[in-house]
Amino acid sequence: MKRRHWLAAAAAAPIACATSARAVADSAAAPAPLPSPLPALMGTGDLGVVVQRARGALSLVNTSQPRVLAEITGLGDLSHASVVFSRDTRFAYVFGRDGALTQVDLLTARVVQRVQQAGNSIGGAISADGTLVAAQNYTPGGVKVFDAQTLTLRADLPAEFEPGRLSRVVGLVDLPGRRFAYSLFDADAIWIADCSDLARPRVTRLDGIGRQPYDALVTPDGRHYIAGLFGEDGLACVDLWADKPVVRRILGGYGKGQAALPVYKMPHLRGWAVAGRHAYLPAIGRHEVLVVDTESWQEVGRIPVAGQPVFVMARPDGRQVWVNFALPDYDRVQVIDTPSRQVVATLQPGKAILHMEFTPRGEAVWLSARDDNRVSVIDTRSLATTATLAVDAPSGIFFTSRAHRVGF
């Protein structure tokens, strides 16, 4: 009985965390009134958050019984926000466009602490051991690494590629060990930071990788880091298992001889688009998804799609790949059957579909329709809409299952 009482009390009470003068007051981040009280004792494996893009808030959601549990406010500019989770899936770390890093307790639906760490930030990662949270920054260019419990700054890694010149950082991912890989948009480079010794972080610099890397992914086994290139056709690939990693150019000239279309929204590579031994990648400025063999890293096919792909995401079992699009086609989503490499369905689930997220086993996918103020839950077998949730201007959707996947 004593153990049961201790667990209930621990789950119901906010955790005591070290804070600093920059931590926000609880009163500024108190959740809105809930439709029903949060249970005193619950797991976190079926929780997630939906970013309310316009209001600086999160909707805390349950994925087993699709519903909104609470609203968490006071998170600043979330116009380009991303989220990672602690290993125990109790905490979410929110990277805001305004350069703030916020730790949120999912069990109490409250902000724990918040650090204004940069002027302009577009994402981050958490180390494989869960002890470090890293933020990638546009202004000033570079990566800052924080203690995951206290948000104390542990390492500052400026992206200074020439004297006095800092690059915007994109494509930050976690690697096995306390390592991170990231791309320098303005320096045409990929850097790998080993933070196992925080007193002396070691940064490996790979230069001349191709023009303007804009985003990146790491394969599920943590072996290959792939950066997309905005300034030219092609991608940059690094074998992270090599004793001395080098950059290999892949898919060079995939648009050769064709006029590129205007790019209305940059594609995203963050989020696995790997199904079996193939990667499915958006072609910049084209209405195509590229299919790449991950053994040879050669193109093995192209799939025509309805518009310019933004997210190309594989269902966890790899049987389907779902694609959303930049405007003017951002009211549509297409489903690719991977064995046949054919588009098997075109859906119109709402206006401005900004993000997709699969449930942990892939039986459902959640879609945010920003301009309809709605999140739709769709069965991935029948393609029927099984639930809708009212959310103000939803964009990113992030489930706690990401905590246990490389590169998420």
Side-chain angles (χ1 to χ4, degrees):
M1 290 299 292
K2 289 184 179 179
R3 176 176 174 81
R4 182 179 302 171
H5 290 164
W6 180 86
L7 286 170
I15 191 167
C17 291
T19 59
S20 69
R22 294 172 294 182
V24 295
D26 278 346
S27 60
L34 309 182
S36 59
L38 287 172
L41 183 63
M42 66 177 181
T44 56
D46 59 357
L47 298 183
V49 296
V50 180
V51 173
Q52 296 185 33
R53 181 184 178 94
R55 297 185 58 243
L58 298 178
S59 294
L60 177 66
V61 298
N62 183 291
T63 64
S64 295
Q65 301 173 343
R67 62 192 178 107
V68 175
L69 300 174
E71 182 179 273
I72 305 163
T73 58
L75 283 90
D77 183 354
L78 299 186
S79 59
H80 193 297
S82 64
V83 179
V84 298
F85 298 95
S86 60
R87 274 178 50 152
D88 63 4
T89 67
R90 176 164 184 173
F91 298 105
Y93 299 90
V94 184
F95 305 91
R97 189 60 186 256
D98 55 5
L101 169 60
T102 308
Q103 183 186 30
V104 173
D105 188 334
L106 300 181
L107 288 180
T108 62
R110 291 185 181 274
V111 169
V112 178
Q113 52 194 335
R114 176 178 168 84
V115 174
Q116 189 66 44
Q117 60 88 30
N120 189 338
S121 181
I122 62 163
I126 188 166
S127 62
D129 64 2
T131 63
L132 302 175
V133 176
Q136 64 180 20
N137 296 319
Y138 271 14
T139 307
V143 171
K144 291 185 178 179
V145 182
F146 299 86
D147 183 281
Q149 290 189 348
T150 65
L151 296 193
T152 302
L153 181 66
R154 301 298 305 277
D156 189 351
L157 308 173
E160 186 174 16
F161 62 100
E162 292 178 358
R165 295 188 63 191
L166 299 175
S167 173
R168 289 168 286 183
V169 171
V170 297
L172 175 68
V173 301
D174 61 282
L175 302 178
R178 301 174 95 191
R179 298 184 302 148
F180 301 94
Y182 48 98
S183 296
L184 280 62
F185 180 86
D186 303 294
D188 302 339
I190 292 171
W191 290 5
I192 303 168
D194 185 339
C195 296
S196 54
D197 181 356
L198 286 166
R200 292 181 294 275
R202 293 185 292 111
V203 177
T204 300
R205 303 184 179 191
L206 305 175
D207 298 321
I209 66 160
R211 292 177 54 206
Q212 297 176 320
Y214 67 87
D215 199 6
L217 63 81
V218 62
T219 52
D221 58 7
R223 178 170 184 174
H224 292 100
Y225 178 83
I226 311 293
L229 302 175
F230 182 68
E232 58 186 274
D233 288 348
L235 298 95
C237 176
V238 180
D239 184 348
L240 299 165
W241 290 3
D243 292 336
K244 294 183 178 180
V246 296
V247 175
R248 173 186 175 189
R249 295 294 305 284
I250 62 174
L251 305 184
Y254 62 75
K256 187 176 181 180
Q258 303 175 41
L261 298 171
V263 177
Y264 296 108
K265 184 174 175 59
M266 294 288 278
H268 284 268
L269 296 179
R270 181 72 177 264
W272 288 346
V274 177
R277 65 177 287 170
H278 295 113
Y280 295 77
L281 303 171
I284 292 183
R286 315 207 174 276
H287 295 184
E288 293 177 328
V289 169
L290 307 176
V291 186
V292 184
D293 187 308
T294 58
E295 294 293 326
S296 65
W297 291 106
Q298 298 294 314
E299 179 185 329
V300 294
R302 300 188 186 192
I303 303 171
V305 290
Q308 293 184 17
V310 176
F311 281 99
V312 178
M313 298 183 69
R315 198 172 74 178
D317 65 357
R319 177 58 192 268
Q320 295 175 343
V321 168
W322 287 58
V323 187
N324 72 335
F325 304 98
L327 53 76
D329 304 297
Y330 65 168
D331 63 335
R332 289 189 275 185
V333 172
Q334 290 194 310
V335 183
I336 295 171
D337 173 67
T338 55
S340 65
R341 298 182 192 165
Q342 298 292 318
V343 173
V344 294
T346 299
L347 310 178
Q348 291 184 285
K351 299 176 183 176
I353 303 299
L354 296 190
H355 201 254
M356 305 176 288
E357 181 82 336
F358 290 98
T359 50
R361 298 294 182 93
E363 76 284 352
V365 62
W366 290 41
L367 307 175
S368 60
R370 182 196 63 194
D371 294 354
D372 283 330
N373 298 307
R374 181 178 71 225
V375 171
S376 296
V377 182
I378 297 178
D379 183 290
T380 56
R381 289 177 63 88
S382 68
L383 303 184
T385 299
T386 58
T388 58
L389 289 72
V391 178
D392 188 79
S395 55
I397 305 173
F398 305 90
F399 295 159
T400 55
S401 53
R402 288 174 170 247
H404 309 299
R405 303 165 74 182
V406 174
F408 266 87

